[in-house]
Amino acid sequence: MNAPVYFNEAGVTCALGDGLDAVGNALFAADRPHGVAISERWSPGRPLAIGEVPDALTDLSDCPVPLRSRNNALLRMAYAQIRQACEQAIARYGAQRVAVVLGTSTSGIGETEAVMAQRHADGQWPARFHYAQQEIGAPSRFLAAESGARGPAWTVSTACSSSAKALASAARLLRAGIADAVIAGGADSLCAFTIAGFSALEAVSAQRCNPFSQRRNGINIGEGAALFLLTREPGPVRLAGWGETADAHHISAPDPQGTMAVVAIEQALARAGIRPGDIDYVNLHGTATTQNDAMESQVVAASMGQGTPISSTKPLTGHALGAAGAVEAALCWLSIARNPQARLPPHWWDGEADPALPVLAFVRPGESAARPLRHVLSHSFAFGGSNAVLLFGAG
């Protein structure tokens, strides 16, 4: 079936705050960039700009040890915002008809980090640790247990495209008639492992990242969780289209030409039945690394032209890795569903455009569209050349 797929409810926690109101207020603020802040918590002795969730994390002491992790605490915070709607969906359709699809990259590896010193000192793992905490499947197991959903449940892990692909997977489940409702999104949590890994690639900026500037010098690692209840019942936002491709170019560098990224955008437009000129705003992958921004600027110019309003929101949230697609989907959801002033998410940077890149229409702080947003595009481009593009439409 080709029935429309809707985002009926949304919940999000990230560096901009916990909940749609807090995140929306910080996202559209024109006075200064919010969110990302300097911290040594995850890199002792080395202050870095990171996108850490500012609120105290929810307690998981009521959960079995294998399900206790920072990742799952973030999921519980996001799920709390849509719990009532999910419970109503389960009551309406039956638990077997409600699925769970999530994206992550770190899962609970931070919990392993936290106990390694004790393991070396004592020769055994502490009681608060279980290997299953770091398994990629842990987030979907946790959320299935948390919600009571008994339909298909799995986790997608394709680096930075993970949760965008999870949302596309949710749409396929609904269109195939395998589920009547899907709780979908993603979570990733800060840990020393990811910061060290990206630092080894010389890809981490000590200051707030500066996407598409000639002075850009790397990413800010972030964390967060965003969850949606998707059904075929009308809601405020539609998943109007999506595209998924692979570069097969390099394990960590994107194809400089962005050929398959353009194809992913074309797939999303074709599924939605619209043209590039119908897109009101594009949320960029926008990592502020030299190669990603060079590739993505070419992709935008080739697929959208140079006049479509665009921005990277990673200077606000940090790069939440496997959760980035879902967190940015929540920002797009807010831009369509809770934005009567048609404000556009601003592009925070130093304004020093790279002369080697195409001139593009970066959103200025305080800028609004001429009309309420109808179609919004979001890019997620991952290691290994995994490309995922989501196209959101007003319901």
Side-chain angles (χ1 to χ4, degrees), residues 71-272:
N71 230 42
N72 290 346
L74 294 172
L75 279 173
R76 178 173 275 187
M77 292 170 72
Y79 180 68
Q81 301 165 42
I82 65 170
R83 179 185 294 274
Q84 183 176 3
C86 293
E87 290 175 346
Q88 291 171 349
I90 290 172
R92 177 177 181 182
Y93 302 117
Q96 301 294 331
R97 299 291 298 171
V98 180
V100 173
V101 187
L102 302 175
T104 194
S105 62
T106 61
S107 192
I109 200 167
E111 278 57 49
T112 305
E113 288 178 358
V115 299
M116 283 299 295
Q118 186 172 341
R119 172 69 173 81
H120 285 301
D122 300 342
Q124 60 185 5
W125 299 108
R128 71 178 186 276
F129 174 77
H130 191 286
Y131 179 84
Q133 289 168 321
Q134 69 177 26
E135 291 178 348
I136 290 297
S140 50
R141 286 199 303 272
F142 168 78
L143 196 56
E146 182 81 354
S147 64
R150 295 294 179 265
W154 71 82
T155 307
V156 177
S157 190
T158 54
C160 307
S161 63
S162 300
S163 53
K165 290 175 74 66
L167 293 172
S169 295
R172 285 191 288 270
L173 280 173
L174 291 167
R175 286 193 165 184
I178 295 171
D180 293 314
V182 186
I183 307 168
D188 247 339
S189 45
L190 282 164
C191 60
F193 176 81
T194 49
I195 290 175
F198 280 92
S199 296
L201 295 173
E202 299 182 349
V204 173
S205 173
Q207 304 301 316
R208 190 184 299 270
C209 68
N210 197 9
F212 298 90
S213 166
Q214 64 178 341
R215 299 179 182 275
R216 66 189 185 277
N217 67 345
I219 70 176
N220 303 143
I221 303 293
E223 67 179 356
L227 293 173
F228 304 88
L229 176 65
L230 289 84
T231 74
R232 294 182 294 270
E233 300 296 326
V237 178
R238 289 179 296 117
L239 183 54
W242 66 87
E244 297 172 275
T245 61
D247 292 348
H249 173 75
H250 188 274
I251 192 169
S252 61
D255 170 15
Q257 304 305 314
T259 303
M260 297 309 294
V262 171
V263 172
I265 292 169
E266 292 172 346
Q267 289 178 359
L269 291 168
R271 278 196 171 94

